[in-house]
Amino acid sequence: MLRSEELPDCFYYQNKPTLITPNTSTPNHSLYLSNLDDQKFLRFSIKYLYLFEKAVAIDILKYSLSKVLVDYYPLAGRLRPCGGAGDDDKLVVDCNGEGAVFAEGFMDISCEEFLQISRKPNRSWRKLLYRVEAHSFIEIPPLVVQVTNLRCGGMILCTAINHCMCDGIGTSQFLHAWAHVITKPTLNLPILPLHSRHVLKPRDPPQVTHTHLGYTKTTIKDNNIHVDINQYLQSQPLVPTSFTFTSAHILRLKRRCIPSLKCTTFEALASHTWRSWVRSLDLSTTFKVKLLFSVNVRKKLIPEIPQGYYGNGFVLACTETAVKDLVTSNLHHGIKLIQQAKSSLTDGHVRSMIDLLEDKNVKTDICSSLVISQWAKLGLEDLDFGQGKPLHMGPLTSDIYCLFLPVVGNFDAVKVQVSVPECVVEKFEYYMMDGLEEEENGEQNGFI
């Protein structure tokens, strides 16, 4: 049994990983990325960790990946600046079929042991994903995979998928397509990928017709001191926190909304998390704070984005309020703000945002914001390569950006994960759990 939460070393079967290329010829061209794709806020890889009770043969995984990369050939390409100068330029994908990175390893641990420490990530988990040596983000291949076989016969699959090329829906679509090639090799993919990003092209000339709060830099002044919450968070030792909310917990949250307001699980949980986060940081009541949260706009545009689009089809909705109004009110205040931010995302608003991002000096305003990304309800936890669904699914790392995650085996539950400064962990956990951890009718609380 493991004596600590630290993972043992990973032993690679080969000194270097292999490159998995599409197994038939694919188009060789440059793929345009939309302004939603290549904004600087998204210049990182989405890193998933899956734990499976039974391993799938390495040769099967490699061959099936080479097959699915025929359909998803941009993931076998490489990013490059459109102007050829540097990271600040507009990005395009050079669809050259160079291949995805595939590493294989072994770790002396069992599925059961990993599950005991899987409640929240720690730094040692980084051993489970091959680190590509690169001078910049652009040099890292869009798709990096590591399969780690375990002592018990299980496996851990980690993937790093470039966020400039896929959003959460797109990554789920790709991973399920990969699994489909293994489990139903004679059948066509149920959803064919749509590569073209021109559906989200800016207008010529750009027409910024709306106010975009999420891209307006906020400077908070207190006695002439500029306060940047994000900068403060980044300067502190951060500790991952994780909370699992069952449907019963969520119902209790909704009952705290007075006067009563019809709301979704996301709206109630986002309001509660934002309020708890702000309360734990002990900010001056005169400060203004923002909430940025991802919203899928595929069906909000006119015409709708077609099925199969795996690029970034989401935007960050934004709302803002004074600390005093958020922390002294119940959940009603935050929920109402979130609903208003969501309803404002019309076709005209999204098109205006795309046009705004033509200006490469515009950046996402995170200095006074909590950012929430929605990973739940995307089907990520249902991935099956032929040996059963995962025992665990989640991010490889934890950050100051908050994730709403699926809970394996409980579709209605949501796991909230975010890293906070070590000095406020106890307060944050208290505010998140306060009054919800009580057992009712023998029900176990879901906080971990």
Side-chain angles (χ1 to χ4, degrees):
M1 300 294 288
L2 290 179
R3 295 182 179 180
S4 73
E5 294 190 351
E6 190 82 9
L7 291 179
D9 288 338
C10 180
F11 298 95
Y12 290 101
Y13 295 136
Q14 299 172 333
N15 289 333
K16 290 186 177 181
T18 55
L19 286 175
I20 307 296
T21 59
N23 73 350
T24 60
S25 62
T26 54
N28 190 334
H29 63 95
S30 292
L31 177 67
Y32 166 84
L33 293 177
S34 79
N35 286 348
L36 296 184
D37 288 322
D38 83 335
Q39 51 188 312
K40 292 182 178 64
F41 182 70
L42 298 185
R43 295 192 178 186
F44 64 92
S45 294
I46 304 173
K47 295 170 182 166
Y48 296 135
L49 185 153
Y50 284 92
L51 173 70
F52 292 96
E53 187 174 13
K54 292 183 179 180
V56 180
I58 292 290
D59 288 346
I60 292 176
L61 288 169
K62 285 182 174 179
Y63 176 71
S64 57
L65 182 57
S66 73
K67 284 193 69 175
V68 79
L69 284 176
V70 174
D71 289 292
Y72 286 87
Y73 65 89
L75 289 175
R78 295 294 182 267
L79 281 176
R80 63 173 173 82
C82 191
D87 289 4
D88 290 338
D89 287 349
K90 176 83 179 168
L91 299 180
V92 296
V93 184
D94 184 5
C95 299
N96 55 16
E98 198 168 321
V101 174
F102 192 103
E104 324 164 33
F106 173 81
M107 186 173 282
D108 188 15
I109 187 176
S110 68
C111 289
E112 182 182 354
E113 288 169 341
F114 184 83
L115 284 172
Q116 290 174 1
I117 65 167
S118 67
R119 60 196 186 101
K120 51 192 176 184
N122 66 61
R123 291 182 66 86
S124 72
W125 287 22
R126 299 182 186 189
K127 301 173 183 179
L128 294 166
L129 183 64
Y130 181 81
R131 181 180 175 85
V132 177
E133 294 297 331
H135 295 295
S136 70
F137 161 77
I138 291 177
E139 295 179 10
I140 300 173
L143 176 60
V144 179
V145 176
Q146 179 171 321
V147 176
T148 305
N149 288 309
L150 309 180
R151 182 203 321 134
C152 62
M155 75 171 185
I156 291 175
L157 170 71
C158 281
T159 60
I161 305 174
N162 191 297
H163 206 333
C164 290
M165 296 176 65
C166 301
D167 62 6
I169 291 173
T171 57
S172 180
Q173 180 181 306
F174 165 72
L175 290 171
H176 280 281
W178 183 9
H180 179 92
V181 171
I182 295 177
T183 58
K184 299 173 182 176
T186 61
L187 299 180
N188 294 328
L189 295 181
I191 300 175
L192 291 176
L194 177 63
H195 303 297
S196 175
R197 313 295 165 99
H198 286 83
V199 65
L200 293 177
K201 246 195 150 172
R203 292 166 290 198
D204 187 14
Q207 303 168 40
V208 182
T209 54
H210 292 67
T211 300
H212 301 286
L213 196 60
Y215 294 97
T216 305
K217 185 172 182 179
T218 302
T219 302
I220 308 170
K221 293 185 178 180
D222 186 14
N223 296 327
N224 296 319
I225 298 174
H226 294 259
V227 179
D228 186 328
I229 299 172
N230 181 67
Q231 191 175 48
Y232 163 71
L233 294 175
Q234 297 284 15
S235 70
Q236 298 295 305
L238 296 174
V239 176
T241 63
S242 181
F243 313 87
T244 299
F245 290 82
T246 65
S247 56
H249 297 133
I250 293 163
L251 181 59
R252 286 176 219 155
L253 277 180
K254 291 181 177 181
R255 286 174 179 164
R256 290 182 176 182
C257 182
I258 302 170
S260 180
L261 184 65
K262 186 177 181 181
C263 62
T264 65
T265 292
F266 174 85
E267 291 161 358
L269 204 47
S271 177
H272 175 64
T273 303
W274 186 26
R275 185 169 179 264
S276 300
W277 181 79
V278 170
R279 291 174 77 188
S280 71
L281 293 175
D282 282 335
L283 302 173
S284 167
T285 57
T286 61
F287 289 177
K288 283 194 171 183
V289 288
K290 292 181 181 180
L291 176 68
L292 296 169
F293 57 96
S294 57
V295 176
N296 176 21
V297 295
R298 285 166 169 79
K299 294 187 180 298
K300 291 180 179 288
L301 297 182
I302 303 171
E304 294 181 1
I305 298 178
Q307 185 184 42
Y309 187 84
Y310 63 95
N312 287 283
F314 81 97
V315 299
L316 287 175
C318 181
T319 189
E320 181 181 47
T321 188
V323 167
K324 180 181 178 181
D325 294 333
L326 185 64
V327 302
T328 59
S329 306
N330 63 61
L331 291 187
H332 185 279
H333 180 68
I335 290 172
K336 195 73 177 174
L337 290 173
I338 291 167
Q339 290 179 339
Q340 289 169 352
K342 286 169 67 176
S343 64
S344 73
L345 293 176
T346 60
D347 175 78
H349 190 108
V350 175
R351 300 285 180 190
S352 174
M353 188 181 295
I354 292 168
D355 290 357
L356 174 72
L357 290 170
E358 270 294 276
D359 180 353
K360 294 307 172 188
N361 292 316
V362 170
K363 295 180 180 178
T364 306
D365 177 20
I366 57 173
C367 75
S368 61
S369 308
L370 174 66
V371 181
I372 297 178
S373 182
Q374 170 78 297
W375 286 18
K377 309 297 185 280
L378 301 182
L380 288 165
E381 74 278 20
D382 295 326
L383 191 64
D384 187 348
F385 287 96
Q387 296 289 359
K389 294 182 181 181
L391 301 174
H392 169 86
M393 181 276 151
L396 181 69
T397 58
S398 181
D399 205 336
I400 60 171
Y401 305 127
C402 180
L403 298 177
F404 282 13
L405 303 166
V407 177
V408 171
N410 190 342
F411 180 79
D412 294 322
V414 179
K415 181 185 286 188
V416 177
Q417 182 176 295
V418 63
S419 287
V420 298
E422 191 173 17
C423 59
V424 306
V425 168
E426 288 188 12
K427 279 192 293 184
F428 182 60
E429 290 180 339
Y430 171 78
Y431 290 132
M432 287 291 280
M433 297 186 292
D434 186 26
L436 292 174
E437 77 279 9
E438 299 171 3
E439 298 179 13
E440 293 184 5
N441 301 320
E443 172 193 56
Q444 292 295 318
N445 78 71
F447 296 92
I448 57 177

